[in-house]
Amino acid sequence: MSSNVVTLQQENGQPLDTESEVQDSPAPPAIPFYTECSEAAQAELFNACEEQFSQLEMLQNEIILAEPDSDENPQEQSVNRLTAVAAELKQWQTRQPELLSTNPEVLLVVGAEELQKLNSQLELVLSCSQAKRDTLRETLKSEQKWLEEKKEVLKAGTEHVVKQRLENERLSEHSVLQDTKKKIQKMKDYHDRLMETLVDVLAEHFPLPTQETNADKKKKNIPQELNENLISLNEVLELLMNKTLETPHDPYVSIDETFWPPYTEMLLRHGIAQRHPEDCFKIRLETFY
């Protein structure tokens, strides 16, 4: 009864009750096994077998005498045999089975032997069912453990989502805007520091030509006229960058007398600027992206 309940629970998808374990079925009572009959029963059974054997010999002799001659057509022999077999089959189908012996002692021994065989087969089936039941119990325990772990993960994930949702609700548009403004201001400050550093480096290493520099070049017999309206290298770079940002479709700047030629040539040679393909008096900032 308990094994039927377990089977019904598994078929209906219901979990097994782990607290109340399914009890093993009680062992079936031992079946008495009668190995021997009395001498009278054995004699009666022997006489019945002798009588059946004699009748079998008589029928076999009749079949041999009734066999047709060998001169008969083989096809006709086959047809006759088929007819005989069909008639015999029909007779056996309509005949009621009879017991070899009606002696209760003989029937008891034969029945005991059959019950013993059936009992052995049922014990084998029972052991297989119990082993399968134990395997299913272990599988159920592992599946329940896995389910509990997944429930804990789901609970933690749900709590995290709720927490994040509450934090997002507390953040207002004003706070987001203020945070964006702070980031923009940090970028501006960083840009200003970079520009100041660039100005200091250019002012230190790339100064404008002075009267002393011009006098040294005159001593070397290099004619050089100093223009007072020259702009610094920093101003040249700033002019090129502003032109690129303001008018990206036309980033070229015309070269005039305010551009000191050595600095212009240096920018062109080092790949910082490039000339206009059609007008050599125009330059632009090189594309670095």
Side-chain angles (χ1 to χ4, degrees):
M1 180 64 181
S2 58
S3 60
N4 295 334
V5 173
V6 174
T7 306
L8 290 175
Q9 289 180 351
Q10 292 177 354
E11 291 178 353
N12 296 331
Q14 300 177 356
L16 295 176
D17 189 1
T18 55
E19 297 180 356
S20 59
E21 296 291 343
V22 181
Q23 300 296 330
D24 295 336
S25 301
I31 299 176
F33 184 53
Y34 300 93
T35 58
E36 295 182 358
C37 299
S38 63
E39 294 181 359
Q42 291 180 4
E44 181 181 354
L45 185 60
F46 181 76
N47 293 332
C49 292
E50 287 290 338
E51 181 181 354
Q52 293 293 330
F53 185 73
S54 300
Q55 186 178 358
L56 181 61
E57 286 183 347
M58 182 180 64
L59 293 175
Q60 187 175 6
N61 293 331
E62 291 179 358
I63 293 173
I64 294 174
L65 294 175
E67 287 184 354
D69 297 334
S70 58
D71 296 337
E72 190 178 354
N73 190 358
Q75 185 175 2
E76 294 180 358
Q77 291 181 3
S78 300
V79 173
N80 294 333
R81 288 179 182 177
L82 179 60
T83 305
V85 171
E88 185 179 358
L89 175 62
K90 185 177 180 180
Q91 184 179 3
W92 278 108
Q93 288 177 348
T94 57
R95 183 177 179 180
Q96 296 294 332
E98 298 178 359
L99 296 176
L100 182 61
S101 175
T102 58
N103 191 335
E105 188 176 355
V106 175
L107 296 178
L108 179 62
V109 173
V110 174
E113 291 180 356
E114 293 295 330
L115 288 177
Q116 192 70 23
K117 293 179 182 179
L118 181 61
N119 184 41
S120 301
Q121 295 176 356
L122 291 177
E123 286 180 354
L124 180 61
V125 173
L126 177 62
S127 62
C128 294
S129 300
Q130 289 177 348
K132 185 177 181 181
R133 180 198 59 189
D134 296 338
T135 304
L136 290 175
R137 284 179 180 175
E138 295 297 329
T139 305
L140 176 63
K141 290 181 181 179
S142 61
E143 292 293 336
Q144 288 178 343
K145 183 178 179 181
W146 177 83
L147 180 61
E148 293 298 330
E149 293 177 355
K150 294 302 178 182
K151 285 183 179 179
E152 292 179 359
V153 173
L154 179 61
K155 182 179 179 181
T158 304
E159 292 177 355
H160 180 71
V161 170
V162 173
K163 183 178 179 181
Q164 292 295 326
R165 187 176 299 171
L166 294 176
E167 290 181 359
N168 292 335
E169 291 177 356
R170 286 196 297 266
L171 294 177
S172 61
E173 295 181 359
H174 179 71
S175 61
V176 174
L177 181 60
Q178 292 297 326
D179 185 52
T180 305
K181 288 182 178 180
K182 289 180 180 179
K183 291 180 180 180
I184 293 175
Q185 186 62 37
K186 287 183 180 179
M187 293 300 297
K188 288 183 177 180
D189 296 340
Y190 180 70
H191 177 265
D192 292 340
R193 290 196 300 271
L194 286 179
M195 293 304 296
E196 290 177 359
T197 304
L198 178 62
V199 170
D200 295 339
V201 171
L202 294 177
E204 179 179 358
H205 299 282
F206 301 95
L208 284 174
T210 59
Q211 293 293 339
E212 296 178 357
T213 306
N214 192 32
D216 294 338
K217 291 183 179 181
K218 286 183 178 180
K219 292 179 180 180
K220 296 179 181 179
N221 297 324
I222 301 176
Q224 184 70 25
E225 295 181 0
L226 182 62
N227 190 350
E228 296 180 356
N229 298 325
L230 292 176
I231 58 177
S232 63
L233 182 59
N234 177 45
E235 293 175 342
V236 173
L237 292 175
E238 186 176 356
L239 182 62
L240 292 172
M241 288 187 290
N242 291 335
K243 186 66 174 177
T244 302
L245 295 175
E246 293 174 358
T247 57
H249 59 282
D250 185 19
Y252 290 93
V253 176
S254 300
I255 302 175
D256 53 14
E257 65 278 1
T258 59
F259 286 71
W260 196 36
Y263 285 169
T264 303
E265 189 66 22
M266 181 189 67
L267 294 177
L268 294 173
R269 288 187 177 182
H270 289 82
I272 301 176
Q274 65 178 4
R275 291 186 185 274
H276 194 281
E278 298 180 357
D279 189 355
C280 61
F281 293 99
K282 289 184 178 181
I283 62 173
R284 58 161 292 178
L285 192 67
E286 185 64 53
T287 303
F288 296 102
Y289 53 87

